Amino acid sequence: MTATTRTPQGERTRAMRLRLMEATVSCLVELGWAGTSTTVVSQRAGVSRGAQLHHFPSKQDLVVAAVEHLTERRRDDLSAAVAELPEQGRTRAVLDVLAAQFVSPVFFAALELWVAARTDEDLHAAVAPLERRVGRETHAYAVDLLRIDESRGSNRRLVQATLDLMRGLGLAASLSDDTARRTAILDTWAITLDEELER
Amino acid sequence: MTATTRTPQGERTRAMRLRLMEATVSCLVELGWAGTSTTVVSQRAGVSRGAQLHHFPSKQDLVVAAVEHLTERRRDDLSAAVAELPEQGRTRAVLDVLAAQFVSPVFFAALELWVAARTDEDLHAAVAPLERRVGRETHAYAVDLLRIDESRGSNRRLVQATLDLMRGLGLAASLSDDTARRTAILDTWAITLDEELER
């Protein structure tokens, strides 16, 4: 932390940026891409339009920063859960930790960005690198949690498939609460991974 | 086919409805949910506003009918591919047939509907039953193609996981062309299914 960010002014700025980003994610989750505007976000965050425009000049700046920041923060929040992973049934518990990242408001907010980016060239240019980076990080994270060497056997592909499965489960969860179905699928997938992963 | 639908008038009506539905899907694919309007669709289909409103009174009627119709037609189109499935490497070939349903313009159009429905109560009421029905049909179709008894072992859960994986792969494909990555994942998934499915 530099001297600047330690000053009260720096702290206030940081807190304001955070409020704007959190308001953006809650807007995307509740109102969707079309319903999210910088005006609505400023109001929700209790931040003046001028200050909002200074920090995030456009809707695109705001939504990309917000999803990036909260994806990272969510991962930090998970460290606690990870520290408590059991030795018995570890694979199944890891799947729950991963699934929690996909069946979450932050995933639903990201989904709004991804789908809007498919038909919006400028947004796509901003979202595609973010999606690739988050994808790489989540992959490395899953490899760590599963305690595998991804150069062995089909380990790398099995982790990729696991994360694509999670993405599909997250998409299904966005339309209806299908917790029971998801739990049963993850039970079966944990058994499959324990049989198929080379350890 | 009834006498009515055989008349030239019935044929013309059917052709017009089809043009409207195809224009709707191409609009959703190219312009996304926000860019799709009944006006744009009528223009693209070369159908008068009056006729369009007569057949599909609202945007919601139009998009739900269009995605439903084209999902069904796409499945019919696949019968030819299915008839040619090889005996050797059948599971891998089945995965390609299924993946083709998810990495497709019709899936991208459906994705626009699903995501919009998450934050639009009326649309949700129309889309949720359609999504459940298509989901059940696709599941039964996959069970058929894989020639398995889904009451045995974990067969049912493995098919569900396969279709959630496909949904995740389709979502990934909507942002960037990742054919090589998808192919490698499906190679590994086919081997896993052949080992884990009870036949």
Side-chain angles (χ1 to χ4, degrees):
Chain A
M1 199 179 266
T2 66
T4 315
T5 60
R6 253 198 236 105
T7 65
Q9 177 57 38
E11 284 298 323
R12 276 200 299 276
T13 298
R14 217 162 57 97
M16 190 176 67
R17 286 178 62 91
L18 195 61
R19 281 209 310 283
L20 281 167
M21 292 193 282
E22 287 180 343
T24 302
V25 168
S26 78
C27 260
L28 285 170
V29 170
E30 286 168 39
L31 309 174
W33 172 260
T36 298
S37 68
T38 52
T39 312
V40 173
V41 169
S42 303
Q43 283 167 356
R44 285 199 175 200
V47 169
S48 76
R49 282 285 283 160
Q52 175 255 303
L53 286 166
H54 173 71
H55 288 288
F56 303 102
S58 72
K59 174 175 172 180
Q60 179 174 313
D61 296 323
L62 193 52
V63 294
V64 172
V67 168
E68 183 167 20
H69 171 77
L70 288 181
T71 303
E72 282 163 11
R73 217 191 56 175
R74 194 172 160 71
R75 185 149 328 139
D76 295 343
D77 291 348
L78 285 170
S79 335
V82 169
E84 288 171 15
L85 281 174
E87 286 305 312
Q88 280 283 350
R90 183 176 172 99
T91 303
R92 181 65 186 83
V94 167
L95 292 185
D96 267 343
V97 169
L98 294 175
Q101 299 224 35
F102 288 86
V103 183
S104 72
V106 175
F107 176 78
F108 297 157
L111 188 57
E112 295 288 337
L113 251 65
W114 291 340
V115 170
R118 197 183 60 77
T119 52
D120 179 330
E121 209 172 318
D122 290 343
L123 184 61
H124 191 277
V127 165
L130 169 61
E131 199 278 337
R132 276 196 297 274
R133 186 159 67 72
V134 171
R136 272 197 307 271
E137 287 171 7
T138 310
H139 182 97
Y141 182 68
V143 167
D144 263 9
L145 293 186
L146 290 167
R147 295 172 173 166
I148 54 171
D149 173 352
E150 70 165 332
S151 69
R152 296 190 63 188
S154 300
N155 285 0
R156 181 171 153 71
R157 298 309 180 189
L158 287 167
V159 171
Q160 286 181 316
T162 300
L163 294 176
D164 275 294
L165 168 64
M166 295 293 174
R167 198 182 287 135
L169 291 171
L171 183 53
S174 78
L175 257 194
S176 60
D177 176 10
D178 61 346
T179 309
R181 189 186 79 95
R182 184 172 60 253
T183 301
I185 291 173
L186 294 179
D187 287 346
T188 296
W189 189 242
I191 295 166
T192 304
L193 278 182
D194 279 335
E195 285 171 2
E196 300 285 332
L197 287 173
E198 290 193 23
R199 285 190 146 115
Chain B
M1 199 180 268
T2 66
T4 316
T5 59
R6 252 199 237 105
T7 66
Q9 178 56 40
E11 284 298 323
R12 275 200 299 277
T13 298
R14 216 161 58 97
M16 192 176 66
R17 286 178 62 93
L18 195 62
R19 280 209 310 283
L20 282 167
M21 293 193 283
E22 288 180 341
T24 303
V25 168
S26 78
C27 261
L28 285 169
V29 171
E30 285 167 40
L31 309 174
W33 172 260
T36 297
S37 68
T38 51
T39 313
V40 173
V41 169
S42 303
Q43 283 168 353
R44 284 199 177 199
V47 169
S48 75
R49 282 286 281 161
Q52 174 254 302
L53 286 167
H54 173 72
H55 289 287
F56 303 102
S58 72
K59 174 175 172 180
Q60 181 174 312
D61 296 324
L62 193 52
V63 293
V64 172
V67 169
E68 183 167 21
H69 171 78
L70 288 181
T71 303
E72 283 164 8
R73 216 191 56 175
R74 193 172 160 71
R75 187 151 326 142
D76 294 344
D77 292 349
L78 285 170
S79 335
V82 169
E84 288 171 16
L85 281 173
E87 286 304 311
Q88 280 283 348
R90 183 177 172 99
T91 304
R92 181 65 186 80
V94 167
L95 292 183
D96 268 343
V97 169
L98 293 175
Q101 299 223 36
F102 288 85
V103 183
S104 72
V106 175
F107 176 78
F108 297 157
L111 188 57
E112 295 288 335
L113 252 65
W114 290 339
V115 171
R118 199 181 60 76
T119 52
D120 178 330
E121 210 172 317
D122 289 343
L123 185 61
H124 191 279
V127 165
L130 169 61
E131 198 277 337
R132 277 196 296 274
R133 187 160 66 74
V134 171
R136 272 198 306 272
E137 287 172 6
T138 309
H139 183 97
Y141 182 67
V143 167
D144 262 10
L145 293 187
L146 290 167
R147 295 173 173 164
I148 54 171
D149 173 353
E150 69 166 333
S151 69
R152 297 190 61 187
S154 300
N155 285 1
R156 183 172 152 71
R157 298 310 179 190
L158 288 166
V159 171
Q160 286 179 317
T162 300
L163 295 176
D164 276 294
L165 168 67
M166 295 294 173
R167 200 183 284 134
L169 290 171
L171 183 53
S174 78
L175 258 194
S176 60
D177 177 10
D178 62 347
T179 309
R181 190 186 80 95
R182 183 171 62 252
T183 301
I185 291 173
L186 294 179
D187 287 347
T188 297
W189 194 269
I191 293 166
T192 304
L193 281 182
D194 279 336
E195 284 172 3
E196 300 286 332
L197 287 172
E198 291 193 22
R199 287 195 145 113

